[in-house]
Amino acid sequence: MFWADELAARLSGPQVVNDSKTPSGTIHVGSLRGPVILDVIVRALRAHDLPTTLLYGIDDLDPMDAQAMLTPDATEQWMGVPLAHVPDPASDGHESYARHFAGQFIDTFAGLGIHPDRYYWMSEIYPTGQVDPLIRTALDRAELVREIYRRVSHVERPPGWLPIHVICPTCGRVGTTLSSDWNGETVAFECQPDLVTWATGCGSSGRVSPFGGAAKLPWNLEWAAQWSLFGVTVEPCGKDLATAGGSRDRSDAIAREVFERAPPLNVPYEFLNIRGQKMSSSRGRGAAAHEIAEVVPPEQLRLLFVRPRPNQAIEFDPDGSNAIPRLFDESDRLAAATAGRQVKGELPPDHERVFAASLVDPAADLEAVGSAYRPPFAHLALLLQVPGVDVPSQMAAEKGAALTAAEQDLLDERIAAARAWLDAYAPPEVRIEVQRDALPAAAGELDQAQRSALEGLADRLEGDVTWNGESLQGAIFSAATAAGIPKPRLFGAIYLAFLGRPNGPRAGWLLASLPPPFVVQRLRAAAGPDTLTA
Ligand SMILES: [Zn+2]
Ligand SMILES: [Zn+2]
């Protein structure tokens, strides 16, 4: 069974699915795994007739702790301050640092077909007073919280420690304050210069009421508080948080023992790894979620996360590789299988459900989408590099009929993706240039057997041949057999004659993208005068 259906089959009654994110900087493409998993779970629950709400939260009262994201003079001023109160470093109209980076991330959601029923910002939730009863409970049970930290995670908090971070009324930092002495109305706080290494408190102290947005709960309590506030029943989390004695265990215990509520069902998921986790490719294209989403269309990006089970790590290395074309090939294979065609290779269990989960529209007609004409990505990337090719009419010719409106849209999307891929990520060997003006000098390397095979191919192509990739590929095979040479040697000869290099894309499709008279003339030129008299 598809993993999301397995999960849905275990649940009953109304469900609230939640996730939240700290917007501490540019968000890596791997962080989309959570939201995509969330959406796929929500769709599966709804498909099983469970009324389901999807929530997505921004933990924007968390302190600024990513120094790399600030200019040196801004560091002193803003480190330790809630992300919602730090100015937008890009000065492009967002209210805050948090709004800028969270916006960049959640702006990709709609394009991916992820539509939370509600977004919430913790900087807006605290001032409403909704969290106050939970803050009171946490402070009343501070000793129990300390005991849970000790028991579950072996983390020792000093005697008198309180589970609350006051926002310093003097300097505005939340990461630097330590609180004590809860009297049922106020807490004592100190904004300490050396409480943390990454921010310097101002040294002020006093008493404040921790309610109404003047303070926030520490992360583990805030997480558990969200579950109580919103009635969360399912919340997947990354494996870094899901380790034994880790953050999730701590929050689960706090939910049960402090807030007296069962924690939501966890769906731990593995990371997506990019070689070296670097954010920027050799050609300056990054691995930020919003940048990858500009190159990889939603269906293929969803498939990247949907195809493996959540507990499987994903290796994705788009830079200088064919990782992106392979994603397209896999979605085309699943589309073909969904339409009932034979495909090569093993299919995942319930492959139609996997294909459906990769589509942006949860209500898409699978049969129609699966049977639409889908131009192979690598082939398209090749055609786009051959001057003078009318790609849409070439595609209609290869399909054997006019493209439908949906197929034309899919083609447009793929053309844009292929251009962006060639521009940003494609490996050097897929970049080609047909040498139109003259026979490349490298064709001098051709031996006599290759020359004869090229001559034989020219003869065949002058005959009655359908000018498309498949048919020309067949003609090349026949010419190699007739000349008695292995096929790869004839392919190599064609690449030398047209591209001036020993390798290239599928030769039949390469030739089909060029005008027939030019192809025949070039084949004869490469074959040379010797073969005419041989
Ligand atoms: Zn901005
Ligand atoms: Zn302060």
Side-chain angles (χ1 to χ4, degrees):
M1 212 193 278
F2 179 44
W3 59 263
D5 292 325
E6 278 174 14
L7 177 82
R10 288 162 50 197
L11 297 172
S12 59
Q15 302 294 322
V16 177
V17 183
N18 178 65
D19 193 6
S20 67
K21 180 105 194 123
T22 303
S24 51
T26 301
I27 297 171
H28 185 271
V29 63
S31 298
L32 284 170
R33 189 167 194 178
V36 172
I37 284 177
L38 226 56
D39 179 64
V40 171
I41 290 172
V42 167
R43 289 187 189 187
L45 294 171
R46 287 176 179 157
H48 285 72
D49 291 324
L50 305 178
T52 301
T53 307
L54 174 57
L55 303 177
Y56 198 86
I58 312 296
D59 300 321
D60 61 342
L61 271 193
D62 289 3
M64 178 77 202
D65 63 0
Q67 190 166 345
M69 303 306 297
L70 294 173
T71 56
D73 55 329
T75 302
E76 201 171 322
Q77 191 176 3
W78 299 114
M79 289 297 280
V81 171
L83 294 163
H85 303 161
V86 177
D88 181 352
S91 311
D92 58 357
H94 296 96
E95 261 172 63
S96 67
Y97 185 99
R99 292 273 166 177
H100 179 85
F101 289 106
Q104 228 173 36
F105 187 56
I106 62 187
D107 283 353
T108 64
F109 286 12
L112 285 168
I114 304 167
H115 301 284
D117 297 290
R118 181 185 162 204
Y119 287 100
Y120 60 90
W121 301 73
M122 290 313 289
S123 65
E124 292 179 348
I125 297 288
Y126 278 99
T128 63
Q130 291 172 75
V131 196
D132 291 353
L134 295 156
I135 290 176
R136 178 174 293 281
T137 301
L139 290 172
D140 287 347
R141 298 181 177 176
E143 195 46 48
L144 174 58
V145 174
R146 285 180 55 213
E147 196 269 312
I148 290 170
Y149 274 56
R150 194 182 310 128
R151 169 163 41 90
V152 177
S153 309
H154 308 290
V155 170
E156 194 65 49
R157 297 290 184 205
W161 175 88
L162 293 177
I164 193 78
H165 294 314
V166 168
I167 300 174
C168 174
T170 306
C171 73
R173 290 188 179 82
V174 69
T176 51
T177 61
L178 195 62
S179 301
S180 59
D181 190 29
W182 163 240
N183 65 11
E185 284 174 36
T186 59
V187 295
F189 78 93
E190 264 184 78
C191 184
Q192 299 186 344
D194 49 9
L195 182 67
V196 292
T197 53
W198 39 269
T200 309
C202 68
S204 66
S205 60
R207 294 198 72 91
V208 292
S209 159
F211 301 125
K216 80 181 282 295
L217 291 165
W219 161 236
N220 286 116
L221 287 102
E222 187 171 283
W223 201 2
Q226 288 170 351
W227 300 337
S228 286
L229 278 175
F230 306 126
V232 179
T233 60
V234 180
E235 182 155 341
C237 82
K239 70 147 193 191
D240 53 329
L241 303 176
T243 52
S247 219
R248 180 64 177 243
D249 277 357
R250 223 147 49 213
S251 292
D252 281 0
I254 288 163
R256 280 193 205 96
E257 301 175 44
V258 179
F259 298 141
E260 298 180 8
R261 174 189 190 280
L265 177 70
N266 190 8
V267 184
Y269 56 86
E270 266 281 353
F271 292 139
L272 173 139
N273 302 310
I274 290 198
R275 182 180 49 195
Q277 294 292 333
K278 65 189 170 171
M279 289 296 288
S280 200
S281 78
S282 50
R283 279 190 292 276
R285 175 72 72 157
H290 68 282
E291 290 179 298
I292 297 273
E294 284 167 10
V295 179
V296 183
E299 182 186 324
Q300 284 71 34
L301 196 48
R302 288 181 65 99
L303 185 67
L304 172 67
F305 297 113
V306 162
R307 174 78 165 80
R309 297 182 70 88
N311 62 6
Q312 291 174 319
I314 301 173
E315 303 297 328
F316 182 61
D317 188 4
D319 188 24
S321 79
N322 284 304
I324 289 174
R326 277 197 300 272
L327 266 181
F328 281 89
D329 292 347
E330 180 60 2
S331 75
D332 292 353
R333 205 173 68 94
L334 292 176
T338 301
R341 295 202 296 279
Q342 284 292 325
V343 297
K344 287 186 191 151
E346 209 178 313
L347 288 164
D350 273 349
H351 60 84
E352 302 91 346
R353 292 287 290 151
V354 178
F355 180 62
S358 75
L359 300 177
V360 170
D361 177 6
D365 176 346
L366 286 187
E367 177 61 32
V369 177
S371 54
Y373 177 70
R374 302 160 71 92
F377 185 82
H379 176 40
L380 199 55
L382 155 69
L383 286 182
L384 291 170
Q385 297 179 76
V386 180
V389 176
D390 177 352
V391 173
S393 56
Q394 178 90 18
M395 289 300 126
E398 293 191 14
K399 180 195 171 192
L403 300 186
T404 65
E407 288 169 339
Q408 183 62 52
D409 289 347
L410 188 132
L411 175 61
D412 291 345
E413 181 183 79
R414 286 196 177 196
I415 287 175
R419 284 193 201 287
W421 178 70
L422 287 166
D423 179 51
Y425 299 114
E429 63 271 18
V430 305
R431 290 164 196 284
I432 58 146
E433 194 178 354
V434 175
Q435 315 273 308
R436 291 296 287 261
D437 297 337
L439 181 67
E445 295 167 20
L446 295 169
D447 65 23
Q448 196 53 45
Q450 285 175 307
R451 288 170 196 271
S452 309
L454 290 173
E455 188 68 35
L457 179 60
D459 293 342
R460 273 167 206 277
L461 298 191
E462 264 184 336
D464 187 18
V465 61
T466 311
W467 205 258
N468 67 29
E470 212 157 325
S471 148
L472 296 198
Q473 192 81 351
I476 296 168
F477 286 175
S478 310
T481 308
I485 63 168
K487 287 164 196 158
R489 295 200 55 223
L490 181 50
F491 285 127
I494 292 169
Y495 299 137
L496 285 172
F498 287 85
L499 308 175
R501 48 186 280 172
N503 51 31
R506 290 196 289 175
W509 280 264
L510 172 64
L511 298 188
S513 70
L514 298 164
F518 168 72
V519 170
V520 171
Q521 179 259 324
R522 174 57 59 86
L523 288 171
R524 294 204 193 283
D530 295 358
T531 50
L532 294 175
T533 54

